[in-house]
Amino acid sequence: MEVTDVETYTLHVPIDGTVGDSRLEITDVYWVVVELETDAGHTGTGWMGSLGFAPDLLERFVDSQFADALVGADPFAHEAIRERLRNRTVYYGELGMSAWPRGAIDVALWDIKAKAAGVPLYRLLGGESATVPAYVSSMDVGTGLGDLAALHGSYAEEGFTAFKTKAGNRTPETEAARIEEIRRAIGPDADLFVDANQAWTVPEAIRTVDAMAEYGIDWVEEPISEFDLDGHARVAERIDPPLATGEMLYRPVQFERLLERGGMEVCQPDLIRNGGVTGMTAVADLAAVHGVPLATHFYYAVSAHVVSAAPTGTTVEYIPEYDVAPVLEDPPTVVDGEVHLPDRPGHGYRIDPDAKADRRVRFD
């Protein structure tokens, strides 16, 4: 079997209003899709989620840098393909933007492999359970104090039992008041996670988490800069909740450095930054070696397959504002805080032809 064609296109999904975190305001999501056709009749699909940032460049990256290297390749040779594509980027930067298309391509390759094997992806990876816990992750940094309880209470009514809120741009006292409101809405037994998106210094992180502590925090995510490796260890040692991080990292060695320092107590790889299914499974193995829970970032529809098979896999992140479901023909099912993986071969999703026709953006 070999790849016979590569198609790349972008779909636009506006967000109702403006959402964001401590650093960004988001109004639109662009799904940059990579489809690989094969001579065996299998089509593999991968996608990148651009929150309005350079979707045209991501699309053109596939077409200009990688497409010719994929045509004629054996989809089962994903490691060789991964290295071939990486080598094309080493002189101008294998991390950052060039990594995103490689991640989406890898997802498409694994989709083909599982289809050829006739099994769902999670089974090919060694997973057993078709249901994976999901926590609801709200882009609520702009939500006023008076509206937080209603927002998170509505998620609780939908059956979620784990919740994440944004922090990082307020005083410790104000952040604590917001946590108190959310805890009141979701109850004492629900899991509550706090994500600062690297907004704090080490002392700020410690002070703010201490102020929140009485309301029960189940992890603190990205409290400080990803580049301050020793600072992660210092924060992890000083705060009570586990320190979660990893979404901005690109290679397993970056995870290993934090894991060895004790600065990563919940491992959060991003499917696309980490090189797709291949990269995420490598990180999952590292997490298992260090006995650290794996809780993936974004891309829940495919990441849930990896979490199902991961030795320490615990949960995936479901962000309602960034849901890929509107562009998929058979979208993921999220019921009572669980992702129900499809029993179809592959990862189980394909782009809805109507969405492709109606939402496609063409770049001149």
Side-chain angles (χ1 to χ4, degrees):
M1 181 167 53
E2 65 181 42
V3 175
T4 57
D5 189 44
V6 180
E7 184 180 10
T8 313
Y9 54 90
T10 301
L11 307 178
H12 176 216
V13 181
I15 296 174
D16 184 16
T18 300
V19 299
D21 56 35
S22 61
R23 297 179 296 186
L24 302 172
E25 291 186 349
I26 308 298
T27 59
D28 301 89
V29 178
Y30 293 83
W31 298 105
V32 184
V33 181
V34 181
E35 292 182 341
L36 306 181
E37 299 286 346
T38 68
D39 57 359
H42 301 303
T43 299
T45 304
W47 56 83
M48 305 164 259
S50 166
L51 306 179
F53 307 116
D56 55 331
L57 298 183
L58 291 170
E59 179 179 319
R60 288 169 181 153
F61 222 116
V62 178
D63 296 336
S64 67
Q65 302 298 304
F66 301 137
D68 66 309
L70 292 168
V71 174
D74 179 355
F76 278 86
H78 65 274
E79 290 285 3
I81 293 171
R82 174 182 169 89
E83 188 65 13
R84 188 180 310 137
L85 300 186
R86 188 189 72 83
N87 284 338
R88 288 192 167 200
T89 68
V90 292
Y91 285 106
Y92 54 78
E94 65 170 286
L95 308 184
M97 181 170 284
S98 73
W100 290 48
R102 302 198 314 268
I105 289 165
D106 186 84
V107 170
L109 292 172
W110 279 93
D111 190 25
I112 291 170
K113 290 170 60 174
K115 285 178 177 176
V119 296
L121 178 57
Y122 75 92
R123 295 291 291 161
L124 185 66
L125 294 172
E128 182 177 19
S129 177
T131 59
V132 175
Y135 68 89
V136 61
S137 180
S138 179
M139 307 301 293
D140 62 359
V141 74
T143 303
L145 183 65
D147 297 322
L148 279 173
L151 175 65
H152 288 272
S154 69
Y155 297 143
E157 291 175 359
E158 293 176 20
F160 286 98
T161 59
F163 307 79
K164 188 165 82 178
T165 184
K166 294 295 186 180
N169 55 359
R170 298 176 174 89
T171 67
E173 294 74 22
T174 303
E175 298 286 18
R178 292 172 65 84
I179 298 302
E180 181 181 16
E181 282 294 297
I182 297 170
R183 177 57 74 188
R184 181 172 61 82
I186 65 177
D189 298 325
D191 288 334
L192 178 55
F193 312 131
V194 175
D195 185 0
N197 291 104
Q198 305 186 32
W200 297 320
T201 63
V202 169
E204 288 170 344
I206 295 169
R207 285 198 303 269
T208 307
V209 175
D210 284 348
M212 299 174 176
E214 65 179 291
Y215 305 112
I217 303 300
D218 294 279
W219 79 48
V220 175
E221 181 172 334
E222 284 203 310
I224 64 173
S225 168
E226 68 198 83
F227 301 106
D228 187 356
L229 304 186
D230 291 333
H232 279 77
R234 288 161 56 200
V235 173
E237 184 177 3
R238 290 287 303 277
I239 65 175
D240 185 53
L243 193 158
T245 192
E247 70 181 65
M248 300 298 288
L249 306 182
Y250 286 86
R251 299 195 68 181
V253 65
Q254 295 176 297
F255 287 83
E256 191 165 23
R257 290 167 182 160
L258 277 173
L259 288 165
E260 289 177 346
R261 284 173 168 83
M264 178 183 287
E265 297 170 306
V266 178
C267 182
Q268 295 182 303
D270 177 279
L271 178 73
I272 297 305
R273 288 191 184 99
N274 266 268
V277 174
T278 303
M280 185 174 276
T281 53
V283 172
D285 289 342
L286 277 175
V289 168
H290 289 269
V292 169
L294 182 80
T296 58
H297 173 253
F298 205 33
Y299 302 106
Y300 74 98
V302 177
S303 296
H305 286 276
V306 180
V307 170
S308 173
T312 60
T314 57
T315 187
V316 296
E317 180 180 35
Y318 172 69
I319 308 176
E321 297 92 339
Y322 302 163
D323 195 354
V324 71
V327 304
L328 298 181
E329 187 172 53
D330 291 303
T333 302
V334 183
V335 178
D336 292 333
E338 290 186 324
V339 178
H340 292 251
L341 291 168
D343 60 4
R344 299 180 291 275
H347 56 49
Y349 314 111
R350 64 187 294 265
I351 301 299
D352 184 345
D354 291 337
K356 184 176 179 180
D358 297 340
R359 298 183 181 272
R360 186 167 185 176
V361 179
R362 298 185 183 274
F363 304 107
D364 297 327

